[in-house]
Amino acid sequence: MFERPVSNAEKDGGGERAVLIHLNLSSGANDSEELAEFRELALSAGATPVAEISSARRTPDAKYLIGTGKAEEVRLCVEREKADLVLVDYALAPSQERNLEKLLQCRVLDRTGLILDIFAQRATSHEGRLQVELAQLRHISTRLVRGWTHLERQKGGIGLRGPGETQLETDRRLLAARIKQLNKRLDKVQNQRNQSRRARQKADVPTVSLVGYTNAGKSTLFNLVTESGVYAADQLFATLDPTLRRVELPQAGDVILADTVGFIRDLPHDLVAAFRSTLEETRQADLLLHIVDAHNENHADQMAQVNEVLKEIGADEVRQIKVFNKIDLLEGHEPRIDRDKNGKITRVWLSAASGDGIDLLLEALEEEFAPQQVREWLRVPASNGRLRAKLFAMGKVLKECVEESGDLLLEVEISPRDLENLQKTEGIRLSPTDINCCG
């Protein structure tokens, strides 16, 4: 391993000077868009991009990823720009990372490591920090090499011979112990989340989860609908920790709105695994609001990337309503609701920044969760005055009469779900509809 010198950024107190490397293995249709996104990632991490180098290849080079000639070009660029760091828009194999560091004589960070660094900066809650640390340790565990032989405990000489333990083995053992400890802590957090989720389900409060590509405007929309103060900014991964707020809909009652972490192209698998308990809110949601940046020319590809992550966490079967945001940046687009051939809402067009179309989103949520009412006659024993009072308090009773036996007959307008719950919990019976005792 090379000995890292003091960086220019550390000398002058500024952001680290970074050379960006973008590898294009496809047709190049979205090459500029992907490079722009990677540049945003670098800026979000606090780096100062000083040069950008692209390399088009059919397959990655086994030694340097980008080939020997392009690697030499990067080395000269690092020297010329006095760069402290090289960022690679691709997942490097551990050997490729070591080879590049040895050649370039500076730190090399791939896309996964860069995203993990941003998450480490943005995580504020106890759970978020645990999740990020777990993802980082899983990533580091694949990159342990025999780079510490000078600290090896297995030495020769009289009295020092024996099995001993190398520093590499020590590192592996310590990492494994820490990962095990973090998993136990996250299991406790997940149990707490499950208890809260079961309480909401018992109270019959539906959950709506906001998902979407990072920087699509989820947190801005969340703040507008819930009147909250969740941090929102025009940057990638502005918020990581999930936030849940209760929203009251006049025609549908209460719903829980959940703001989640934004997705991105090639989101690291270690990160998805570490945030699985957080993303469980998405998998268990009754409805997903898929927030889309309508102003972004590449929004169709971004939607596909989000759906890919949703499939990975098992949330691809949850019903979606796509919310096309930022229409204030488009010409000729007014707020509207789109429906399919069956009349179900599929899209809502709005602007979270200006507030135009928010009423349509609330209307869509009300339509989605407004209970379908049915009219039924219920037979309530005379001894169960508590149930009678409960039905009146719910505002469900339309008519009431008393039979000769003393039992109460109540005509109610009620949702099928509430009716089923009453039949299970109260043991009430339905009565024929041809009742004349009430006149």
Side-chain angles (χ1 to χ4, degrees):
M1 295 289 286
F2 66 91
E3 183 178 349
R4 187 177 75 86
V6 177
S7 69
N8 295 294
E10 292 169 333
K11 292 177 181 177
D12 59 25
E16 291 183 284
R17 297 170 61 83
V19 173
L20 309 187
I21 300 177
H22 175 67
L23 178 65
N24 181 27
L25 298 175
S26 60
S27 61
N30 297 323
D31 190 49
S32 59
E33 183 75 24
E34 292 177 358
L35 182 56
E37 180 183 275
F38 189 58
R39 189 185 308 117
E40 284 296 317
L41 281 173
L43 292 171
S44 296
T48 301
V50 294
E52 297 173 357
I53 298 176
S54 294
S55 175
R57 296 181 60 89
R58 291 184 178 179
T59 58
D61 178 67
K63 185 175 183 180
Y64 291 125
L65 180 78
I66 54 177
T68 304
K70 186 66 72 170
E72 180 63 22
E73 179 185 337
V74 173
R75 186 187 69 81
L76 295 175
C77 181
V78 168
E79 289 184 357
R80 182 176 66 253
E81 300 293 341
K82 295 184 172 58
D84 311 302
L85 177 68
V86 170
L87 301 175
V88 182
D89 190 17
Y90 198 80
L92 289 171
S95 60
Q96 292 171 331
E97 185 176 308
R98 292 194 300 273
N99 291 336
L100 284 171
E101 286 187 336
K102 185 176 180 180
L103 174 69
L104 306 177
Q105 285 296 295
C106 71
R107 282 184 299 124
V108 174
L109 203 61
D110 67 358
R111 181 184 179 85
T112 299
L114 179 60
I115 293 176
L116 289 175
D117 184 82
I118 296 172
F119 271 59
Q121 294 180 43
R122 302 282 165 77
T124 56
S125 70
H126 174 65
E127 179 186 8
R129 289 171 179 168
L130 289 177
Q131 290 168 327
V132 172
E133 183 181 356
L134 178 61
Q136 287 178 317
L137 292 181
R138 283 174 173 166
H139 183 63
I140 292 172
S141 66
T142 65
R143 281 158 164 71
L144 290 178
V145 295
R146 294 181 60 85
W148 301 89
T149 53
H150 62 289
L151 295 177
E152 192 171 304
R153 298 179 185 178
Q154 187 174 343
K155 297 286 186 179
I158 298 174
L160 294 175
R161 297 184 180 93
E165 182 179 44
T166 65
Q167 184 64 37
L168 176 60
E169 292 167 341
T170 303
D171 290 343
R172 285 175 175 163
R173 178 171 53 80
L174 293 176
L175 275 176
R178 181 59 178 167
I179 289 174
K180 184 177 180 180
Q181 183 184 45
L182 289 174
N183 279 321
K184 285 184 177 180
R185 292 184 180 179
L186 284 172
D187 285 342
K188 290 182 179 179
V189 175
Q190 185 168 7
N191 289 335
Q192 294 171 354
R193 283 191 173 277
N194 290 338
Q195 290 176 359
S196 300
R197 192 178 299 115
R198 284 193 295 267
R200 294 197 302 270
Q201 292 172 347
K202 187 175 181 180
D204 203 21
V205 180
T207 301
V208 179
S209 185
L210 274 64
V211 299
Y213 211 76
T214 185
N215 208 25
K218 295 187 307 301
S219 296
T220 302
L221 182 62
F222 182 85
N223 286 337
L224 192 61
V225 174
T226 63
E227 299 180 355
S228 300
V230 174
Y231 178 70
D234 185 18
Q235 60 185 22
L236 302 183
F237 303 120
T239 53
L240 294 183
D241 302 308
T243 306
L244 280 71
R245 293 288 186 274
R246 187 180 294 263
V247 178
E248 184 178 352
L249 302 174
Q251 303 300 321
D254 289 346
V255 299
I256 298 295
L257 212 61
D259 185 21
T260 60
V261 61
F263 301 150
I264 197 170
R265 174 178 58 87
D266 300 327
L267 194 64
H269 290 288
D270 286 338
L271 204 54
V272 174
F275 274 73
R276 191 168 295 277
S277 62
T278 298
L279 297 173
E280 187 77 6
E281 293 291 349
T282 299
R283 194 171 70 85
Q284 297 290 341
D286 298 279
L287 174 69
L288 300 182
L289 293 182
H290 186 162
I291 315 302
V292 180
D293 181 357
H295 182 250
N296 191 304
E297 296 179 355
N298 200 33
H299 69 262
D301 181 58
Q302 292 181 349
M303 291 166 63
Q305 295 290 338
V306 171
N307 287 326
E308 186 177 326
V309 178
L310 291 176
K311 184 176 182 179
E312 185 176 348
I313 65 175
D316 53 323
E317 297 297 327
V318 182
R319 168 163 158 72
Q320 283 189 25
I321 292 180
K322 294 179 176 61
V323 179
F324 283 78
N325 188 25
K326 304 186 182 182
I327 63 170
D328 55 310
L329 303 178
L330 300 173
E331 292 185 5
H333 279 72
E334 297 294 328
R336 72 174 191 270
I337 289 178
D338 293 342
R339 299 176 182 271
D340 62 14
K341 61 182 180 180
N342 298 318
K344 295 203 74 173
I345 296 175
T346 57
R347 296 181 175 184
V348 179
W349 297 76
L350 53 77
S351 169
S354 66
D356 294 336
I358 297 300
D359 55 332
L360 296 181
L361 177 62
L362 296 176
E363 178 183 322
L365 291 176
E366 285 199 334
E367 182 174 323
E368 189 71 23
F369 295 109
Q372 300 297 318
Q373 303 292 316
V374 296
R375 285 195 177 191
E376 292 287 353
W377 282 92
L378 306 182
R379 185 181 300 275
V380 179
S383 59
N384 199 344
R386 179 188 57 81
L387 175 57
R388 175 185 179 276
K390 179 179 179 180
L391 289 169
F392 271 97
M394 293 169 63
K396 305 294 185 182
V397 179
L398 303 176
K399 293 181 182 178
E400 177 184 26
C401 61
V402 182
E403 288 192 315
E404 293 181 0
S405 63
D407 287 349
L408 301 175
L409 291 175
L410 302 176
E411 185 183 19
V412 299
E413 189 172 67
I414 193 170
S415 70
R417 182 185 295 179
D418 287 342
L419 180 60
E420 182 181 356
N421 289 337
L422 287 173
Q423 288 179 296
K424 289 180 179 179
T425 59
E426 303 290 349
I428 60 172
R429 294 175 294 150
L430 300 182
S431 293
T433 54
D434 55 341
I435 295 177
N436 301 315
C437 62
C438 291

